[in-house]
Amino acid sequence: MKSSVNQFSTQFEWILNVINVGVHIVNKDGDTVFYNKMMAHIDGLDREQVLGENIFQLYPSLTDESSTLHVALEKGIETIESIQTYVNLKEKKITSINSTYPLYEDGEIIGAVEIAKDITKVMSMYDQIVDLRSQLAETHKKNKFFEGTATYHFSDLIGSSPAFQEAISLAKKAARTHSPVMIYGPTGTGKELIAQSIHNVSAQRNQPFIAQNCAAVPKELMEGLLFGTTKGAFTGAMDRLGIFEQANGGTLFLDELNSLDLGLQAKLLRVLQEGEVRRVGGSKEQKINVKIIAAMNISPDEALERGIIRSDLFFRLNVVTIQMPSLLERKMDIPEIVNHFIQKFNKSFFSDVRGISQKAMQRLLQYSWPGNIRELGHAIELAFNVMDTGEVMIEEHHLPAYLFPSGKYSVSNAQSHHPPLKDKIDLPVVLEEMEREMIINMFEKYNGNISKTAEALNIKRQGLQYKLTKYGIEKVYAAGSKEPK
């Protein structure tokens, strides 16, 4: 029996060393008894120099109050997903999200375990974004001639199909009032362009336009980003404006609202109802006057049914609802949109492409465009990259291979299986298109199962989810599957 226990103990240690979160275990005196490889990577320390060392020797910047491990040992208090910034022995500043638990035996605390996720790079980017936005807000206050920060206008939006024109008409009406606006539609349909256009004809057009993707920031940082922070709110926190304060007097666009944590949704609702915001760790309420435009990439009915958006928040925001049609629903607009992209890329590529052949246009019209206008733009950009010097018409063989049912170009579609290349191409764009095609093919093969697709591509599930969003690959590819797993 004892050998069996020892055998499993070895297996458990192996498991803790291969998982992608840091694990740090200390005894009742605060001395390290286990420290896995990921924790060593996060801290930038060698495991050998850590084992047996006390937490305050390893992290001299921590105190009795700020060390979650010490608090667990002394008070038996669990700390769940707390942001902690500290300096290690090598004087490297590290930020992690920690969950810390006391360990008991016969009712007595015998140690503590900390599970950590490294967000040092994310926190650095977060700090830079917040600082930059704060500088822009200060610039706006000092310069009364500041023209705002939204660049798109209704005149930039292309399309004459009834569904698209209906969305534009409703958006223009929504710009006349201060009421909240909810925009929904598939990825790549231009929801932020509509939001910027609303701002640019509203009474707030000379005030800030702040856009925030709710899926782009870890939930632990999102509250501080939305509402601001007070020095000491958490270890390393500084006095900072949140995006509500930065957008005061203007427009705040919250994209992918359905990705916002439900707890934060409740706090967001309170801010909207009371018109006041309180910074994280603060005690004072700050009056704010912000027009809210929210967006979701799924229908409101689906979001409510799946319980990923609070009904009270939804109905508070759902004063004006604008549905953005997919490109599949407005295919009559494709020729006009393609012409727009040709003019755009002629300028950036210093080219003189004059149009697109009838066969190539027919190929575009036959495709379903799950990534919508964004995907169409990528397809035209790829064509510019593979066109030979002197060519002035986009032909079928210039288009991405995934537009063809077989996934390959036929002899009738091209002069050769490999389209001619320019003397100079934008390699990152070409590689992105190749990556996108491979993901689509594998996603279809595994019927939209994200875990199996990620495994087949030898990438992490989170990485695949990011790429699915980036390339506009939606669950329409999941043939035979109601929803990606």
Side-chain angles (χ1 to χ4, degrees), residues 125-143:
M125 292 177 63
Y126 163 82
D127 287 341
Q128 291 176 37
I129 291 170
V130 172
D131 288 342
L132 180 58
R133 282 178 170 168
S134 296
Q135 291 172 25
L136 290 173
E138 288 299 317
T139 300
H140 177 265
K141 290 178 182 179
K142 295 177 181 178
N143 185 1

Side-chain angles (χ1 to χ4, degrees), residues 54-70:
N54 189 272
I55 50 178
F56 292 115
Q57 292 174 316
L58 295 172
Y59 313 114
S61 65
L62 295 180
T63 65
D64 290 354
E65 293 76 24
S66 63
S67 169
T68 50
L69 279 170
H70 182 78

Side-chain angles (χ1 to χ4, degrees), residues 44-110:
L45 302 174
D46 295 328
R47 297 175 70 198
E48 291 72 19
Q49 71 182 113
V50 173
L51 292 174
E53 295 294 329
N54 189 272
I55 50 178
F56 292 115
Q57 292 174 316
L58 295 172
Y59 313 114
S61 65
L62 295 180
T63 65
D64 290 354
E65 293 76 24
S66 63
S67 169
T68 50
L69 279 170
H70 182 78
V71 170
L73 291 172
E74 292 299 311
K75 301 179 181 179
I77 297 175
E78 294 183 356
T79 305
I80 309 298
E81 295 191 336
S82 171
I83 299 175
Q84 190 171 54
T85 300
Y86 56 93
V87 177
N88 68 8
L89 282 174
K90 296 182 179 179
E91 298 186 353
K92 177 185 176 183
K93 186 178 179 181
I94 299 163
T95 301
S96 58
I97 298 173
N98 300 341
S99 292
T100 313
Y101 308 90
L103 301 175
Y104 292 91
E105 185 175 317
D106 298 328
E108 297 290 329
I109 295 177
I110 61 169

Side-chain angles (χ1 to χ4, degrees), residues 209-451:
F209 174 89
I210 302 291
Q212 179 59 52
N213 187 311
C214 298
V217 179
K219 65 179 181 179
E220 296 82 7
L221 296 180
M222 193 65 189
E223 184 176 4
L225 187 62
L226 284 171
F227 310 126
T229 56
T230 301
K231 188 175 182 179
F234 54 84
T235 308
M238 305 296 292
D239 286 320
R240 280 203 174 101
L241 296 174
I243 57 178
F244 267 97
E245 288 182 79
Q246 292 172 19
N248 198 18
T251 302
L252 178 57
F253 174 58
L254 298 174
D255 197 9
E256 295 196 53
L257 182 71
N258 47 293
S259 298
L260 190 64
D261 177 73
L262 290 174
L264 282 181
Q265 289 186 26
K267 295 180 180 181
L268 175 60
L269 176 63
R270 184 187 66 80
V271 171
L272 298 179
Q273 289 176 333
E274 299 177 8
E276 295 179 335
V277 64
R278 179 191 298 172
R279 295 184 186 180
V280 177
S283 57
K284 296 180 180 179
E285 302 286 349
Q286 171 74 36
K287 283 285 185 183
I288 49 108
N289 177 28
V290 177
K291 181 179 178 71
I292 299 294
I293 303 178
M296 298 193 297
N297 54 15
I298 60 175
S299 72
D301 290 341
E302 182 181 350
L304 290 169
E305 183 180 344
R306 289 168 55 186
I308 57 178
I309 187 169
R310 292 174 58 105
S311 58
D312 47 6
L313 174 63
F314 170 74
F315 292 118
R316 177 68 182 84
L317 290 171
N318 194 38
V319 177
V320 179
T321 306
I322 300 171
Q323 180 180 0
M324 294 299 295
S326 67
L327 194 53
L328 186 63
E329 298 173 281
R330 48 179 294 217
K331 281 197 169 183
M332 64 177 289
D333 293 333
I334 288 179
E336 189 177 359
I337 296 171
V338 168
N339 183 59
H340 162 76
F341 282 125
I342 289 175
Q343 293 180 37
K344 173 184 175 181
F345 293 127
N346 268 335
K347 293 178 181 178
S348 58
F349 281 76
F350 302 101
S351 300
D352 186 28
V353 176
R354 297 170 190 173
I356 182 170
S357 72
Q358 186 175 352
K359 283 188 176 181
M361 178 58 73
Q362 192 60 36
R363 181 65 61 185
L364 298 180
L365 291 170
Q366 290 172 354
Y367 185 60
S368 60
W369 298 110
N372 296 289
I373 299 172
R374 184 180 298 133
E375 183 183 11
L376 177 57
H378 288 161
I380 302 302
E381 185 174 4
L382 175 67
F384 268 73
N385 274 281
V386 300
M387 290 177 74
D388 199 8
T389 302
E391 288 187 297
V392 295
M393 293 291 288
I394 296 176
E395 303 290 349
E396 268 194 296
H397 64 271
H398 296 135
L399 299 176
Y402 63 80
L403 297 183
F404 298 80
S406 64
K408 297 180 180 179
Y409 307 111
S410 65
V411 176
S412 62
N413 289 331
Q415 296 176 352
S416 68
H417 290 287
H418 301 283
L421 296 176
K422 285 185 170 185
D423 294 333
K424 184 178 181 181
I425 66 169
D426 190 338
L427 183 60
V429 172
V430 176
L431 292 176
E432 280 192 354
E433 289 298 335
M434 292 174 63
E435 180 181 59
R436 184 184 187 284
E437 183 182 346
M438 290 178 185
I439 292 173
I440 288 173
N441 291 338
M442 203 63 73
F443 200 48
E444 288 178 332
K445 180 177 180 179
Y446 289 100
N447 294 322
N449 187 302
I450 293 178
S451 296

Side-chain angles (χ1 to χ4, degrees), residues 5-15:
V5 171
N6 289 336
Q7 181 183 9
F8 277 104
S9 176
T10 301
Q11 296 301 320
F12 287 144
E13 182 173 345
W14 176 83
I15 292 170

